[in-house]
Amino acid sequence: MTARVGVVTFPGSLDDGDAARAVRIAGAEPVRLWHGDPDLHGVDAVVLPGGFSYGDYLRCGAIARFAPVMGSIVDAARGGLPVLGICNGFQILCEAHLLPGALTRNQHLHFRNRDQVLRIEAVGTAWTNAFQPGQEVLIPVKNGEGCYVADPATLDRLEAEGRVVARYVGGNPNGSQRDIAAITNEAGNVVGIMPHPEHAVEALTGPSLDGLGFFTSVLKHLVGAPA
């Protein structure tokens, strides 16, 4: 049976269509989820896409965290549902307290858009099991509030527990502490990443095909998950 991966659309979402396309290319069925509808329609995993949910008013992701669909996603994620938050989706996951820390204004105060090398460090998550430890990938980054911050104790805990999923290589585009580009929760089913793997799934439009591994990983995870 084909896995069904939900992609949420918020007011101001930008990359929901790209995320749905990446899901389809990976071999799953994308299911469009609406911010105002708490029904997850029986999906096997969820992607929170990039963009500017609710116009980034108040704080990036702060309003989206209270959308009806997010109540269902938070409960399902705590029960083991794989959830990937990309860029704005990462911000929403932090605001929803599914991931620790916060994403703040880029240290240089400029929007940064470029192809970025990442080193994958945690391959035991639902979204990164297709990679090898230390593997370097090329994925676009585009953000104005992508600087990951947390208190020293949280950063040390993420390091000690192997929950830093990816780091920036060859230059930090936003000033994120310890070059952190992606992190995961303790269970490994929730991952937040600031760069955009959905923009690196086709040779025609992306700098590489490296982003596809995030989406094929969750399919592999679902096959091995208990019924």
Side-chain angles (χ1 to χ4, degrees):
M1 181 178 294
T2 302
R4 303 172 73 247
V5 178
V7 179
V8 180
T9 297
F10 298 97
S13 289
L14 176 65
D15 297 308
D16 46 337
D18 300 82
R21 183 173 180 82
V23 167
R24 187 179 299 110
I25 291 171
E29 176 190 348
V31 178
R32 306 306 288 266
L33 303 178
W34 185 242
H35 69 105
D37 183 359
D39 189 351
L40 299 184
H41 300 282
V43 298
D44 302 301
V46 167
V47 177
L48 301 178
F52 307 91
S53 59
Y54 297 92
D56 279 349
Y57 291 111
L58 182 63
R59 190 173 59 246
C60 297
I63 299 176
R65 175 258 181 276
F66 293 102
V69 74
M70 282 305 300
S72 301
I73 290 172
V74 168
D75 289 343
R78 288 173 176 160
L81 183 78
V83 179
L84 176 66
I86 303 170
C87 196
N88 188 222
F90 188 1
Q91 296 162 341
I92 295 169
L93 289 175
C94 290
E95 291 287 343
H97 305 296
L98 285 174
L99 293 175
L103 286 305
T104 63
R105 185 71 177 163
N106 293 352
Q107 281 192 345
H108 45 67
L109 304 182
H110 296 285
F111 189 92
R112 185 65 76 235
N113 181 7
R114 73 186 191 197
D115 296 334
Q116 176 69 47
V117 177
L118 308 178
R119 183 173 61 249
I120 305 297
E121 300 203 348
V123 298
T125 81
W127 298 93
T128 55
N129 59 69
F131 298 102
Q132 296 298 317
Q135 182 176 343
E136 294 189 357
V137 298
L138 182 65
I139 293 174
V141 64
K142 51 175 188 176
N143 61 74
E145 291 84 17
C147 179
Y148 181 76
V149 297
D151 63 89
T154 297
L155 292 170
D156 289 344
R157 186 168 65 252
L158 290 173
E159 300 270 15
E161 296 176 357
R163 291 168 53 195
V164 175
V165 172
R167 297 185 203 267
Y168 299 111
V169 175
N172 186 326
N174 45 43
S176 288
Q177 293 179 329
R178 305 192 189 183
D179 297 328
I180 290 174
I183 62 172
T184 187
N185 65 341
E186 291 181 8
N189 63 303
V190 178
V191 168
I193 181 169
M194 184 48 56
H196 287 261
E198 79 280 16
H199 294 327
V201 298
E202 292 183 292
L204 178 65
T205 57
S208 72
L209 302 181
D210 294 343
L212 193 58
F214 288 88
F215 301 96
T216 58
S217 287
V218 76
L219 303 187
K220 180 181 175 183
H221 169 80
L222 292 170
V223 168

